[in-house]
Amino acid sequence: MRGLAVKGVTKAFGPQEVLRGVDLVVPDGSFTAILGASGSGKTTLLRIVAGFERPDRGEVWLGDELVDDAGSRYLACERRRIGYVPQEGALFPHLSVGRNVGFGLSRQATRRPRVDELLELVGLSGYRRRYPHQLSGGQQQRVALARALAIEPEVVLLDEPFSSLDAALRASVRADVLGVLRQAGTTSVLVTHDQDEALSMADQVAVLRDGVVAQLDTPAALYRHPGDAGVAQFLGEANLIEGEVRDGVATTILGRLPVGGWTGPPSGQARVMVRPEQIELGEVGEGIDGVVASYEYYGHDAVVRIRLERMGVPEPGAPELVVRITGGPPVVAGHRVGLSVRGPVVAWPVRHNKQENSPE
């Protein structure tokens, strides 16, 4: 097995510059998600790694082998030992499941034991003689994964492979695919626009924005300590409020809040992020007063939107806050509550705001 490295990769299509100097290291045996909005260049980057496209500048390395330097060095895609799972699976409709899985193998290697081994690995033993139209969407994706693994690749690339599945099926197929890749020990790269998908599957997540990797970290670190407000909002709901930080404490409309990971001067204006699950609801007078604007129930939790008040009067200029709660009785619009914030918050110096661009 070997890892993957992308160094300073750029790519333009005519006047449109899609990638502007992407740097990315995928450790051997790990699972990396490249997360970005539609049109951010995710699939272009994946196709450059696979060898389907060539970069304008930069390098692509597989382990210690340079496979593309945007110049004279170029290793053809069929020689890179890369497995590719496209968005729709792209199975051959006229071939059986077994022949789809064995398509990239030599005649000797396509003997029944090898194909059956792969089908068992993806949980489709006994499906060898079926055809793609006889399978569900999730089963087709697992066949596509088995085909990608058939060549014993060094790296498997997955191009939004779950986007066409319905919500109920998506989570189970994701878990199946992740289990197979973990068992095989294959270095894997997933491109997706789905934050839940990236955070739940990957060892590390690269947020692609404006043609570069805006931040690369573990899912937990990205969610808890986003590098700027744009990354914060792209990785889930985020309440952004203004404040002043002094000696590690932010003074805001939600009170004095301890700050974690402050990189600014000892004191100064800041933009403060409070995640919805950090806000607790209580009785009026417990913390900061607010009134319920709306209540949305989702079964596992509920989302409450709150307008702040001061002595019964709406707080001028205050943003509507998003609060995520679990359990307890439902609250109704117009109900007055108290709010308090649990745990440290993230803050960025105001001078950084002009450099922030939301991935969306």
Side-chain angles (χ1 to χ4, degrees):
M1 298 291 178
R2 52 183 178 171
L4 163 70
V6 174
K7 302 179 181 181
V9 164
T10 68
K11 182 67 177 179
F13 296 100
Q16 183 180 6
E17 193 173 24
V18 178
L19 303 176
R20 305 182 183 185
V22 173
D23 294 302
L24 176 66
V25 175
V26 179
D28 182 27
S30 69
F31 192 114
T32 293
I34 301 173
L35 176 65
S38 298
S40 63
K42 306 183 301 294
T43 295
T44 298
L45 178 59
L46 207 68
R47 289 177 61 81
I48 287 173
V49 171
F52 303 151
E53 299 275 359
R54 298 206 63 191
D56 296 332
R57 292 186 300 277
E59 297 176 345
V60 178
W61 291 76
L62 291 177
D64 57 2
E65 182 178 12
L66 176 62
V67 297
D68 199 336
D69 65 357
S72 59
R73 178 60 180 168
Y74 171 71
L75 188 67
C77 54
E78 64 271 15
R79 297 177 57 201
R80 294 192 185 188
R81 295 286 300 280
I82 287 179
Y84 190 83
V85 181
Q87 192 171 82
E88 302 294 338
L91 300 180
F92 301 113
H94 62 291
L95 297 183
S96 66
V97 165
R99 292 182 66 190
N100 263 286
V101 172
F103 183 81
L105 299 173
S106 66
R107 184 179 299 276
Q108 182 178 6
T110 56
R111 291 177 179 173
R112 187 182 191 99
R114 174 61 177 155
V115 172
D116 286 348
E117 175 190 347
L118 289 162
L119 289 176
E120 183 177 358
L121 182 66
V122 298
L124 292 175
S125 296
Y127 284 72
R128 180 188 179 99
R129 296 186 181 281
R130 297 196 187 186
Y131 284 81
H133 72 272
Q134 297 174 308
L135 306 178
S136 68
Q139 290 169 336
Q140 289 181 26
Q141 287 302 98
R142 282 186 275 168
V143 173
L145 178 61
R147 184 176 62 188
L149 291 171
I151 61 171
E152 298 183 278
E154 304 286 357
V155 178
V156 170
L157 307 178
L158 304 105
D159 186 5
E160 304 210 47
F162 315 112
S163 60
S164 62
L165 304 178
D166 61 62
L169 186 60
R170 196 176 300 139
S172 64
V173 175
R174 280 200 311 241
D176 291 343
V177 168
L178 183 59
V180 169
L181 292 170
R182 296 286 192 207
Q183 185 177 343
T186 307
T187 305
S188 308
V189 179
L190 166 77
V191 299
T192 181
H193 65 274
D194 187 315
Q195 296 90 339
D196 292 340
E197 197 166 279
L199 295 176
S200 65
M201 294 184 72
D203 301 311
Q204 63 174 12
V205 178
V207 179
L208 192 63
R209 182 181 70 192
D210 294 337
V212 298
V213 174
Q215 191 171 352
L216 172 69
D217 215 324
T218 65
L222 270 179
Y223 186 79
R224 294 172 186 163
H225 303 287
D228 59 42
V231 173
Q233 291 176 304
F234 194 55
L235 290 170
E237 292 276 9
N239 296 295
L240 299 176
I241 57 179
E242 302 305 315
E244 182 176 357
V245 172
R246 185 182 299 273
D247 298 327
V249 176
T251 301
T252 73
I253 55 175
L254 291 176
R256 288 171 52 81
L257 309 174
V259 175
W262 173 252
T263 59
S267 63
Q269 295 299 308
R271 201 173 189 192
V272 180
M273 180 196 78
V274 182
R275 290 291 188 191
E277 59 272 17
Q278 288 185 262
I279 302 177
E280 294 183 333
L281 299 184
E283 299 297 325
V284 174
E286 297 178 358
I288 307 299
D289 289 348
V291 61
V292 175
S294 66
Y295 174 86
E296 301 166 2
Y297 180 70
Y298 294 101
H300 47 77
D301 64 11
V303 172
V304 186
R305 298 183 184 275
I306 305 288
R307 292 191 297 268
L308 295 184
E309 288 188 344
R310 187 186 296 271
M311 300 181 66
V313 178
E315 187 77 40
E320 190 173 86
L321 299 176
V322 179
V323 181
R324 184 174 293 112
I325 61 174
T326 57
V331 293
V332 296
H335 186 68
R336 298 182 66 234
V337 295
L339 294 85
S340 57
V341 177
R342 179 178 62 246
V345 298
V346 176
W348 307 280
V350 165
R351 68 173 183 270
H352 288 180
N353 287 357
K354 63 183 180 181
Q355 298 173 357
E356 293 170 3
N357 295 296
S358 170
E360 297 182 298

